[in-house]
Amino acid sequence: MVINLRRSHRILAKCRGNGPPLWASIFTFRFFALSLTIAVSIVFTFSFLFTTSSFASDLNFGFSYDRNEVKTGSNRRSVLALKSDPLRPRLDQIRKQAGDHRSLALAYASYARKLKLENTKLVRIFADLSRNYTNLMSHPSYRELFDADANLIDESELRKFEKEVKERIKFTRQVITEAKESFDNQLKIHKLKDTIFALNEQLTKSKKQGAFSSLIAAKSIPKSLHCLALRLMEERIAHPEKYTDEGKPTKPELEDPKLYHYAIFSDNVVAASVVVNSAVKNTKEPWKHVFHVVTDKMNLGAMQVMFKMRDYSGAHIEVKAVEDYKFLNSSYVPVLKQLESSNLQKFYFENKLENATKDTTNMKFRNPKYLSILNHLRFYLPEMYPKLHKILFLDDDIIVQRDLTGLWKIDMDGKVNGAVETCFGSFHRYAQYMNFSHPLIKAKFSPKACAWAYGMNFFDLDAWRREKCTEEYHYWQNLNENRTLWKLGTLPPGLITYYSTTKPLDKSWHVLGLGYNPSISMDEIKNAAVIHFNGNMKPWLDIAITQFRPLWTRYVDYENEFVQACNFGL
């Protein structure tokens, strides 16, 4: 080759002086191509040998073992033999999979150490997995598989090795899947959100069911109270002449405006009697006090017997049924007219739990008592007692602890309603009771106006007639037939009717909340003229607040033979 190159140079030198002929250019191009081919062949050969050497060294996968342990007498495999072995790529793939999973186990073990949580067990598991891969690769029975100097790979050994690797990989993936929740914070967050959402749904459902159950418990009639009403009614039927006032002239005291008159509207025999008992026992001159008790026709007989069986220290008691007031009919009273509506009946008397608890915030107003005429009689006092000038309205869940005659001495300043205000801060304002998104409500009233309490209300009946409050009540009650102005009840229409005609009374006259707030101080209760068990935990129910119940039970007439027979309060 050197001689040919020299000859080519001489020929080129001779021809250089006369310019390059065509054949000389062709020869030069062939010479250049031949030289380039030889150079590339040499480089490729050395590069391939170097790569083969590196590949053989990589087969050790980071594991060292003594090559002297390989069988003696084995011949070094040539590059051609290595390339022609069909099992070598399969072995390399298995080895790579094992190495990847070993590295993954080490990574999870390292991350578990960084978290410094309760992952010590996981750290040990992942460390053991890594060692298992290392031990498998360095096992004497599999070393020949990775020896570059070994003969062709034994397929049975390869299958055995592959089986063990796959078993370890399967176990590694299983452990990683189970441990992933401990390491993946995002997964933890999503799982926690799902748990919170499920608990909120369960809590909302439980609240609805609890509120509904509480409402049933609050509005139910205890067995002893039901027994008492039946026993009293039985007595009324057995001895009608002892308890009836039919045919007798009306006592003049019942219409005497100079006496102190009280209005009590109730269908609860014991509750009504307790109100009268407490008022009589805490007044100086009981004979100057007149109690007008109004009930429904069903409880009239029981009420008559209850109040006829005892002398209330000379106090005058009138017991009548609401049906005795003939002007209270559906053509005059909006509430009675609305009760004839099928939509309103469905709203109040729907008996399915899921429908009865749709409006959880105002579920208590779904009670039919809020459309009971007994509950709305308070708006007809001037017509019920036309000869009276002033009257004190009392709920049947109150206790009188002090002489109330001082109320008749208060200057009402021309106002109709004397009541204790209940607002403090942003609580118990008009905005809580009425729908101020309605343009009519928004235009007529202030949402920040202070609310007051029903339960003990002193009414100037002359001012009532002058201000035409009953007509005002009718106007607004008719507008609220579809419950768009307020969620029913008697307080919202009362707040509207006496919006500018209410005189605030001192808070010591009326302390509220004994039926729902156990944190009322005993000093505040002791100094109150009237305490009010408003709320669901009425004192005659088993769900009553324990520390407040004796304030009520001490005025129960336990000497009454029918009360004893029905084991009331036991």
Side-chain angles (χ1 to χ4, degrees), residues 23 32 41-42 55 71 121 198 219 264 275 314 334 398 419 430 432 463 518 545:
W23 62 268
F32 176 74
S41 300
I42 294 171
F55 179 76
K71 293 180 181 180
K121 183 178 180 181
K219 307 310 175 185
I264 303 169
V275 175
I398 65 103
Y430 269 49
Q432 286 186 270
I545 299 175

Side-chain angles (χ1 to χ4, degrees), residues 51-116:
T51 304
T52 304
S53 177
S54 299
F55 179 76
S57 62
D58 287 342
L59 289 177
N60 294 329
F61 188 63
F63 311 111
S64 60
Y65 53 87
D66 191 0
R67 288 182 176 272
N68 293 329
E69 292 181 6
V70 182
K71 293 180 181 180
T72 58
S74 61
N75 297 325
R76 183 177 298 276
R77 303 179 69 189
S78 65
V79 175
L80 184 61
L82 181 63
K83 290 177 64 178
S84 63
D85 191 344
L87 298 180
R88 180 62 63 181
R90 182 175 168 188
L91 175 63
D92 293 341
Q93 184 180 7
I94 297 171
R95 183 184 64 82
K96 185 178 184 304
Q97 290 177 351
D100 291 343
H101 284 80
R102 174 180 175 273
S103 300
L104 192 61
L106 287 174
Y108 269 94
S110 176
Y111 187 60
R113 292 188 189 97
K114 289 180 181 179
L115 289 179
K116 296 181 179 179

Side-chain angles (χ1 to χ4, degrees), residues 24 38 101 220 226 235 243 245 326 395 398 465 515 570:
I38 294 172
H101 284 80
S220 61
H226 182 64
E235 174 68 12
Y243 305 106
D245 290 328
K326 302 301 181 183
D395 265 341
I398 65 103
R465 297 181 185 102
L570 299 179

Side-chain angles (χ1 to χ4, degrees), residues 191-312:
K191 187 174 181 180
L192 184 60
K193 284 183 178 179
D194 291 341
T195 303
I196 293 173
F197 179 78
L199 289 175
N200 279 335
E201 289 289 312
Q202 186 177 356
L203 179 61
T204 302
K205 185 177 180 181
S206 299
K207 281 184 176 180
K208 288 182 179 180
Q209 293 177 340
F212 188 69
S213 300
S214 176
L215 185 63
I216 292 175
K219 307 310 175 185
S220 61
I221 301 175
K223 183 178 179 180
S224 56
L225 185 57
H226 182 64
C227 166
L228 179 60
L230 292 178
R231 292 292 184 98
L232 292 171
M233 194 63 194
E234 183 182 18
E235 174 68 12
R236 171 68 174 78
I237 295 172
H239 306 92
E241 69 284 351
K242 291 174 59 176
Y243 305 106
T244 182
D245 290 328
E246 294 180 7
K248 297 179 182 179
T250 303
K251 293 181 180 180
E253 294 85 0
L254 300 180
E255 297 178 342
D256 187 353
K258 296 179 181 179
L259 300 180
Y260 305 107
H261 293 264
Y262 302 80
I264 303 169
F265 307 139
S266 174
D267 58 359
N268 188 323
V269 179
V270 174
S273 68
V274 165
V275 175
V276 175
N277 285 343
S278 63
V280 169
K281 286 186 177 181
N282 290 287
T283 190
K284 297 177 182 178
E285 300 174 315
W287 56 90
K288 291 184 178 181
H289 295 260
V290 182
F291 297 89
H292 302 272
V293 180
V294 181
T295 186
D296 53 31
K297 200 72 174 178
M298 185 173 66
N299 291 283
L300 178 62
M303 286 282 190
Q304 288 174 337
V305 175
M306 190 71 177
F307 287 105
K308 288 282 186 179
M309 291 185 69
R310 179 177 174 180
D311 176 27
Y312 290 89

Side-chain angles (χ1 to χ4, degrees), residues 12 20-33:
L12 287 171
L22 179 60
W23 62 268
S25 299
I26 295 172
F27 178 80
T28 302
F29 175 77
R30 288 180 177 176
F31 170 75
F32 176 74

Side-chain angles (χ1 to χ4, degrees), residues 382-427:
E383 296 167 276
M384 295 173 68
Y385 310 106
K387 295 184 180 181
L388 301 182
H389 303 300
K390 294 180 179 180
I391 195 168
L392 180 62
F393 169 77
L394 296 176
D395 265 341
D396 64 356
D397 55 353
I398 65 103
I399 292 292
V400 178
Q401 299 187 131
R402 202 166 70 214
D403 194 337
L404 300 179
T405 55
L407 290 169
W408 276 261
K409 301 175 183 178
I410 294 176
D411 184 2
M412 293 291 288
D413 298 324
K415 304 294 185 180
V416 176
N417 173 34
V420 171
E421 293 182 331
T422 57
C423 62
F424 58 96
S426 61
F427 296 98

Side-chain angles (χ1 to χ4, degrees), residues 130-148:
S130 175
R131 283 194 293 271
N132 285 340
Y133 285 110
T134 304
N135 295 337
L136 181 63
M137 293 295 188
S138 60
H139 197 275
S141 60
Y142 299 129
R143 288 181 183 174
E144 290 186 2
L145 294 175
F146 304 105
D147 188 3

